[in-house]
Amino acid sequence: AVVSTQSGHYGRGPIMLVCFVVLALLASCSGNRQAAADAIQKSIFGSREALEEPVEMMVYGHREHAHREEVAQLQRTETRTSYSFEELGHMSVKSAPRHQGPFYRPQIYENVPVVEECQAVKCHLNLVIIMDSSGSVGYQDYQLELSFVRTLLEIMAVKAYDAGVKVCVGLVSYSTQVHVEVDPCCHNSICKIIDQFNDRRFQYRAGSTNTNGALKAARQMLQAAASYKKVALLITDGKSNVGGSPISFATQMREEDGIDIVALGVTNSVNTAELKGISGMEFVTKIDVFDEFHELATILLEANYIGSTHELETSFEEMCDADNSVFRQECERVDAAPDEEEEKKEKSTDCDSALIPLL
């Protein structure tokens, strides 16, 4: 009996070690998800609610301790994402600043879509979401990516509606080729954009990873409409392998246009140096697997005081039904003359003419 007891005692060691490792992995995943939610919440909504937690718990979930200098670096990034939704709601959208300087245009040989400017369209926030659909993502995981983007857009729409904020949204998907799925100049109705998700309009196109080309399309879209705030959210599962390094171009977007870039890596295969170079941050924002998009969405729901996905869907549908005039679909590339103001409300320009595919 004594031997049996001692044997049981010694046998608990490996079991406890395994449990410890599992708990450590779960804590790391939780920290990564929290960090990703914090970065998105801060950049898009300009809200500090998610940042109230100790910073060590956020980006450095896989490490036991964070260096104080890295923590200070995270806190200093607040100036890059000024304007919360509450602040934007008190600003006149008619006074949204136009793009200053020349508009970026890709070279013909780059085979990147050209998006014409539309300074007549004015927004408080211009957001472009860039979705990696390369072969390593796969069809099923791309559907999880789309589901997360849909939830994020619905959260943003409900919060913007409550705050009186107008948001222009652009969507880019990319693998080897770059595709403009939603043009912020034409499809400035989030309700109609969500209809495209419902109708499964967004195709999965496998291929290589042309992140640089996707950023070039996104920069045009962010320059196109007049806005107070410009944000690009890049979602990718690996590293770019065609189209050249995206770091230099991303730096131009941040420094020349004031664009805030959130680079969200998915899986452990991401190129951390590349994501840091794209975002300009000293840390990497990532989740470990595509399945964690559901947990990430849940964190964002809680951060924006929305109880559940059902509550979000109900609020979003009520919002779209209540005031469709707020979400009318237009595609205006030039300012209308004063005497054309009424006429322009009756018709809109063909959106397809604004996107010039280069063969």
Side-chain angles (χ1 to χ4, degrees), residues 81-303:
T81 54
S82 58
Y83 300 137
S84 66
F85 267 35
E86 290 72 19
E87 292 171 319
L88 289 172
H90 290 91
M91 299 177 181
S92 170
V93 70
K94 294 180 180 179
S95 301
R98 294 169 176 260
H99 173 69
Q100 301 297 316
F103 288 89
Y104 169 75
R105 290 293 179 269
Q107 299 297 316
I108 294 178
Y109 66 85
E110 295 177 296
N111 199 27
V112 174
V114 173
V115 181
E116 299 297 339
E117 60 92 4
C118 57
Q119 297 290 282
V121 175
K122 299 181 182 296
C123 323
H124 289 101
L125 166 65
N126 191 354
L127 169 68
V128 174
I129 301 177
I130 307 163
M131 305 177 295
D132 183 351
S133 70
S134 57
S136 57
V137 173
Y139 176 82
Q140 294 298 332
D141 283 343
Y142 189 63
Q143 302 311 305
L144 296 175
E145 186 177 346
L146 289 175
S147 178
F148 169 73
V149 170
R150 170 186 171 151
T151 300
L152 176 61
L153 290 178
E154 290 182 343
I155 293 172
M156 183 178 63
V158 170
K159 190 161 184 177
Y161 184 77
D162 291 340
V165 170
K166 180 177 180 181
V167 181
C168 291
V169 174
L171 295 180
V172 174
S173 67
Y174 76 100
S175 52
T176 306
Q177 302 296 324
V178 179
H179 301 272
V180 174
E181 304 285 4
V182 172
D183 181 351
C185 296
C186 300
H187 308 99
N188 49 31
S189 160
I190 298 181
C191 294
K192 296 185 185 299
I193 293 172
I194 297 302
D195 285 342
Q196 296 186 52
F197 281 90
N198 295 335
D199 295 339
R200 297 183 177 273
R201 298 281 184 87
F202 303 119
Q203 300 179 25
Y204 169 67
R205 305 177 181 92
S208 300
T209 308
N210 185 5
T211 304
N212 197 30
L215 289 173
K216 289 177 178 180
R219 186 182 187 183
Q220 297 175 78
M221 298 161 78
L222 289 164
Q223 288 180 344
S227 64
Y228 290 101
K229 183 175 178 178
K230 300 177 177 68
V231 179
L233 170 59
L234 168 67
I235 304 174
T236 179
D237 81 321
K239 60 183 180 180
S240 58
N241 50 26
V242 293
S245 171
I247 294 177
S248 176
F249 190 80
T251 301
Q252 293 177 28
M253 292 173 65
R254 299 194 317 268
E255 296 181 353
E256 297 177 9
D257 298 343
I259 297 170
D260 189 29
I261 305 176
V262 179
L264 175 59
V266 186
T267 78
N268 292 318
S269 301
V270 296
N271 184 328
T272 57
E274 184 172 279
L275 292 185
K276 288 180 181 180
I278 290 172
S279 67
M281 303 295 183
E282 293 299 322
F283 53 84
V284 175
T285 301
K286 66 183 287 292
I287 58 177
D288 294 313
V289 292
F290 280 89
D291 286 338
E292 291 185 15
F293 270 127
H294 177 73
E295 287 80 5
L296 180 58
T298 299
I299 295 174
L300 288 171
L301 285 169
E302 294 174 353

